[in-house]
Amino acid sequence: METSIEIPNLEYNNDVANEMAPYYEKVKSVIPKIEWPVHAPYIKAINELKKQRNAVLLAHNYQTPEIYHCVADFVGDSLALSKEAARTEADIIIQCGVHFMAETSKILSPNKMVLVPDLDAGCSLAESITGDDVRKLKQKYPGVPVVTYVNTSADVKAESDICCTSGNALEIIESLGAKKVLFLPDKYLAQNIAKQTDVEIIWWEGSCIVHELFTPEELHQARENEEDLIIIAHPECPPNVVEAADFSGSTANMISYIKENQPKKVMMVTECSMSDNVSAVNPNVQFIRPCNLCPYMKKITLPKILDNLIYLNNEVKIDPLIAAKAFNAVDRMINLKI
Ligand code: 13P
Ligand code: SF4
């Protein structure tokens, strides 16, 4: 592995300002001018080092605009990121998202170096369940297939029959041909899916600390305040919130909805950086922004990404036996023709 990496100069001067101007053009509607001198030198250094290291930077839709629009090579929802991790030819994957996403990349690309800018970027869903919990559930419900949301640890995936994301959960559940499934660990996603299928769903008591905060009252209030408001909600929200919305889908499906329908006014009921990212490329859409931040996603910053590229720190490691078992569940999801 290349070792002669020089510590980049992070001074903001006229040359940097000129070179980075096309990047600012992309984010000027969502990043105040006064902040740009802080970001620009990091963006320049990260983009240069990525080439030297043959690294690819995969960023989730909840990353902040300077990451999402200025240093990411690939952006998407959990499903798209996992597919990209499986096919990338880069030597190093830098996962700008939370830890379970980096683990999923490592599971799918075990021979690549996978780095995460902050190892403490967790997830309330992933933390709600352990591999041991799944083993006990399997004893309690013998023969019932285990469908596991990707927002889980490798340990939990290793105990599962198949993974799913918010973008394919219904299709995955129905593909199994089972009357009953265990669906782990998001109770709200499970309840939202249960309304759309005859398959009986047994759920776990996990929830996302960002999406569980939304209430139907908040949505009704927003409609009263804003005429012709279109509301789109992530399916990790409680069912009464999803019912009060006009559309529900994974973060990628929410983005496609806006791109294709170009509503005059929209409220995205999800993590709030996403409205910034989407508004930057949809100038004719007005965004009404409820703001619930994911504290885990926000641990990822440009300086930490730069550290990954300089020091190759925060490598994600998984016990090979667990990784091999988890691979089956993730790979089965990715390769299912649905
Ligand atoms: P998706 O991007 O797959 O919709 O997931 C949302 C999420 O909560 C990721 O943490
Ligand atoms: Fe986890 Fe919710 Fe944050 Fe996504 S938004 S990483 S589900 S806590």
Side-chain angles (χ1 to χ4, degrees), residues 154-171:
D155 233 11
V156 168
K157 290 183 176 81
E159 293 298 330
S160 308
D161 293 293
I162 189 164
C163 283
C164 73
T165 71
S166 61
N168 61 15
L170 177 65
E171 290 80 0

PDB file of all heavy atoms in Angstrom, residues 154-171:
ATOM      1  N   ALA A 154     -23.096  -7.067  11.939  1.00  0.00           N
ATOM      2  CA  ALA A 154     -22.757  -8.275  11.173  1.00  0.00           C
ATOM      3  C   ALA A 154     -23.200  -9.526  11.926  1.00  0.00           C
ATOM      4  O   ALA A 154     -23.653 -10.508  11.331  1.00  0.00           O
ATOM      5  CB  ALA A 154     -21.251  -8.309  10.926  1.00  0.00           C
ATOM      6  N   ASP A 155     -23.103  -9.469  13.248  1.00  0.00           N
ATOM      7  CA  ASP A 155     -23.509 -10.580  14.110  1.00  0.00           C
ATOM      8  C   ASP A 155     -24.975 -10.950  13.901  1.00  0.00           C
ATOM      9  O   ASP A 155     -25.332 -12.131  13.859  1.00  0.00           O
ATOM     10  CB  ASP A 155     -23.378 -10.065  15.554  1.00  0.00           C
ATOM     11  CG  ASP A 155     -22.541 -10.971  16.389  1.00  0.00           C
ATOM     12  OD1 ASP A 155     -21.913 -11.853  15.802  1.00  0.00           O
ATOM     13  OD2 ASP A 155     -22.545 -10.778  17.623  1.00  0.00           O
ATOM     14  N   VAL A 156     -25.803  -9.932  13.810  1.00  0.00           N
ATOM     15  CA  VAL A 156     -27.250 -10.135  13.617  1.00  0.00           C
ATOM     16  C   VAL A 156     -27.508 -10.628  12.185  1.00  0.00           C
ATOM     17  O   VAL A 156     -28.278 -11.569  11.969  1.00  0.00           O
ATOM     18  CB  VAL A 156     -28.028  -8.833  13.931  1.00  0.00           C
ATOM     19  CG1 VAL A 156     -29.476  -8.923  13.467  1.00  0.00           C
ATOM     20  CG2 VAL A 156     -27.960  -8.537  15.432  1.00  0.00           C
ATOM     21  N   LYS A 157     -26.825 -10.047  11.230  1.00  0.00           N
ATOM     22  CA  LYS A 157     -26.997 -10.491   9.837  1.00  0.00           C
ATOM     23  C   LYS A 157     -26.608 -11.972   9.704  1.00  0.00           C
ATOM     24  O   LYS A 157     -27.229 -12.725   8.963  1.00  0.00           O
ATOM     25  CB  LYS A 157     -26.145  -9.639   8.890  1.00  0.00           C
ATOM     26  CG  LYS A 157     -26.644  -8.202   8.743  1.00  0.00           C
ATOM     27  CD  LYS A 157     -25.794  -7.442   7.732  1.00  0.00           C
ATOM     28  CE  LYS A 157     -26.291  -6.031   7.469  1.00  0.00           C
ATOM     29  NZ  LYS A 157     -25.915  -5.035   8.445  1.00  0.00           N
ATOM     30  N   ALA A 158     -25.559 -12.361  10.443  1.00  0.00           N
ATOM     31  CA  ALA A 158     -25.072 -13.741  10.350  1.00  0.00           C
ATOM     32  C   ALA A 158     -26.121 -14.745  10.815  1.00  0.00           C
ATOM     33  O   ALA A 158     -26.094 -15.911  10.425  1.00  0.00           O
ATOM     34  CB  ALA A 158     -23.795 -13.886  11.178  1.00  0.00           C
ATOM     35  N   GLU A 159     -27.045 -14.318  11.646  1.00  0.00           N
ATOM     36  CA  GLU A 159     -28.096 -15.209  12.162  1.00  0.00           C
ATOM     37  C   GLU A 159     -29.354 -15.157  11.298  1.00  0.00           C
ATOM     38  O   GLU A 159     -30.369 -15.758  11.644  1.00  0.00           O
ATOM     39  CB  GLU A 159     -28.463 -14.809  13.598  1.00  0.00           C
ATOM     40  CG  GLU A 159     -27.370 -15.041  14.616  1.00  0.00           C
ATOM     41  CD  GLU A 159     -26.987 -16.521  14.730  1.00  0.00           C
ATOM     42  OE1 GLU A 159     -27.842 -17.387  14.498  1.00  0.00           O
ATOM     43  OE2 GLU A 159     -25.805 -16.791  15.028  1.00  0.00           O
ATOM     44  N   SER A 160     -29.302 -14.406  10.192  1.00  0.00           N
ATOM     45  CA  SER A 160     -30.524 -14.137   9.424  1.00  0.00           C
ATOM     46  C   SER A 160     -30.559 -14.933   8.124  1.00  0.00           C
ATOM     47  O   SER A 160     -29.526 -15.311   7.580  1.00  0.00           O
ATOM     48  CB  SER A 160     -30.584 -12.645   9.086  1.00  0.00           C
ATOM     49  OG  SER A 160     -30.422 -11.898  10.274  1.00  0.00           O
ATOM     50  N   ASP A 161     -31.778 -15.132   7.609  1.00  0.00           N
ATOM     51  CA  ASP A 161     -31.908 -15.833   6.332  1.00  0.00           C
ATOM     52  C   ASP A 161     -31.658 -14.888   5.169  1.00  0.00           C
ATOM     53  O   ASP A 161     -31.103 -15.275   4.155  1.00  0.00           O
ATOM     54  CB  ASP A 161     -33.319 -16.428   6.206  1.00  0.00           C
ATOM     55  CG  ASP A 161     -33.522 -17.538   7.219  1.00  0.00           C
ATOM     56  OD1 ASP A 161     -32.853 -18.571   7.085  1.00  0.00           O
ATOM     57  OD2 ASP A 161     -34.308 -17.345   8.171  1.00  0.00           O
ATOM     58  N   ILE A 162     -32.131 -13.667   5.320  1.00  0.00           N
ATOM     59  CA  ILE A 162     -31.987 -12.702   4.230  1.00  0.00           C
ATOM     60  C   ILE A 162     -32.067 -11.288   4.812  1.00  0.00           C
ATOM     61  O   ILE A 162     -32.746 -11.069   5.825  1.00  0.00           O
ATOM     62  CB  ILE A 162     -33.074 -12.931   3.141  1.00  0.00           C
ATOM     63  CG1 ILE A 162     -32.816 -12.076   1.886  1.00  0.00           C
ATOM     64  CG2 ILE A 162     -34.486 -12.707   3.672  1.00  0.00           C
ATOM     65  CD1 ILE A 162     -33.599 -12.535   0.645  1.00  0.00           C
ATOM     66  N   CYS A 163     -31.382 -10.357   4.174  1.00  0.00           N
ATOM     67  CA  CYS A 163     -31.472  -8.947   4.598  1.00  0.00           C
ATOM     68  C   CYS A 163     -32.467  -8.212   3.713  1.00  0.00           C
ATOM     69  O   CYS A 163     -32.891  -8.708   2.666  1.00  0.00           O
ATOM     70  CB  CYS A 163     -30.108  -8.281   4.494  1.00  0.00           C
ATOM     71  SG  CYS A 163     -29.025  -8.744   5.842  1.00  0.00           S
ATOM     72  N   CYS A 164     -32.818  -7.020   4.148  1.00  0.00           N
ATOM     73  CA  CYS A 164     -33.630  -6.149   3.299  1.00  0.00           C
ATOM     74  C   CYS A 164     -33.280  -4.712   3.651  1.00  0.00           C
ATOM     75  O   CYS A 164     -32.581  -4.452   4.631  1.00  0.00           O
ATOM     76  CB  CYS A 164     -35.123  -6.397   3.518  1.00  0.00           C
ATOM     77  SG  CYS A 164     -35.730  -5.745   5.076  1.00  0.00           S
ATOM     78  N   THR A 165     -33.737  -3.794   2.814  1.00  0.00           N
ATOM     79  CA  THR A 165     -33.611  -2.373   3.132  1.00  0.00           C
ATOM     80  C   THR A 165     -35.018  -1.794   3.065  1.00  0.00           C
ATOM     81  O   THR A 165     -35.967  -2.498   2.688  1.00  0.00           O
ATOM     82  CB  THR A 165     -32.708  -1.634   2.115  1.00  0.00           C
ATOM     83  OG1 THR A 165     -33.425  -1.556   0.881  1.00  0.00           O
ATOM     84  CG2 THR A 165     -31.389  -2.331   1.905  1.00  0.00           C
ATOM     85  N   SER A 166     -35.130  -0.507   3.356  1.00  0.00           N
ATOM     86  CA  SER A 166     -36.461   0.097   3.275  1.00  0.00           C
ATOM     87  C   SER A 166     -36.935   0.134   1.820  1.00  0.00           C
ATOM     88  O   SER A 166     -38.118   0.265   1.545  1.00  0.00           O
ATOM     89  CB  SER A 166     -36.451   1.505   3.861  1.00  0.00           C
ATOM     90  OG  SER A 166     -35.558   2.310   3.138  1.00  0.00           O
ATOM     91  N   GLY A 167     -35.985  -0.006   0.877  1.00  0.00           N
ATOM     92  CA  GLY A 167     -36.333   0.048  -0.542  1.00  0.00           C
ATOM     93  C   GLY A 167     -36.865  -1.264  -1.099  1.00  0.00           C
ATOM     94  O   GLY A 167     -37.437  -1.278  -2.190  1.00  0.00           O
ATOM     95  N   ASN A 168     -36.661  -2.367  -0.389  1.00  0.00           N
ATOM     96  CA  ASN A 168     -37.103  -3.655  -0.965  1.00  0.00           C
ATOM     97  C   ASN A 168     -37.775  -4.578   0.055  1.00  0.00           C
ATOM     98  O   ASN A 168     -38.010  -5.758  -0.242  1.00  0.00           O
ATOM     99  CB  ASN A 168     -35.903  -4.376  -1.613  1.00  0.00           C
ATOM    100  CG  ASN A 168     -34.809  -4.687  -0.599  1.00  0.00           C
ATOM    101  OD1 ASN A 168     -35.032  -4.630   0.610  1.00  0.00           O
ATOM    102  ND2 ASN A 168     -33.626  -5.024  -1.077  1.00  0.00           N
ATOM    103  N   ALA A 169     -38.088  -4.061   1.257  1.00  0.00           N
ATOM    104  CA  ALA A 169     -38.571  -4.919   2.349  1.00  0.00           C
ATOM    105  C   ALA A 169     -39.813  -5.734   1.950  1.00  0.00           C
ATOM    106  O   ALA A 169     -39.864  -6.952   2.178  1.00  0.00           O
ATOM    107  CB  ALA A 169     -38.863  -4.070   3.585  1.00  0.00           C
ATOM    108  N   LEU A 170     -40.787  -5.076   1.324  1.00  0.00           N
ATOM    109  CA  LEU A 170     -42.026  -5.782   0.968  1.00  0.00           C
ATOM    110  C   LEU A 170     -41.725  -6.924  -0.020  1.00  0.00           C
ATOM    111  O   LEU A 170     -42.160  -8.066   0.182  1.00  0.00           O
ATOM    112  CB  LEU A 170     -43.023  -4.785   0.353  1.00  0.00           C
ATOM    113  CG  LEU A 170     -44.331  -5.388  -0.146  1.00  0.00           C
ATOM    114  CD1 LEU A 170     -45.144  -5.973   1.002  1.00  0.00           C
ATOM    115  CD2 LEU A 170     -45.174  -4.340  -0.891  1.00  0.00           C
ATOM    116  N   GLU A 171     -40.966  -6.614  -1.049  1.00  0.00           N
ATOM    117  CA  GLU A 171     -40.658  -7.620  -2.083  1.00  0.00           C
ATOM    118  C   GLU A 171     -39.858  -8.778  -1.483  1.00  0.00           C
ATOM    119  O   GLU A 171     -40.084  -9.937  -1.815  1.00  0.00           O
ATOM    120  CB  GLU A 171     -39.850  -6.990  -3.229  1.00  0.00           C
ATOM    121  CG  GLU A 171     -40.628  -6.014  -4.091  1.00  0.00           C
ATOM    122  CD  GLU A 171     -40.760  -4.620  -3.481  1.00  0.00           C
ATOM    123  OE1 GLU A 171     -40.243  -4.403  -2.366  1.00  0.00           O
ATOM    124  OE2 GLU A 171     -41.395  -3.766  -4.123  1.00  0.00           O
TER     125      GLU A 171
END
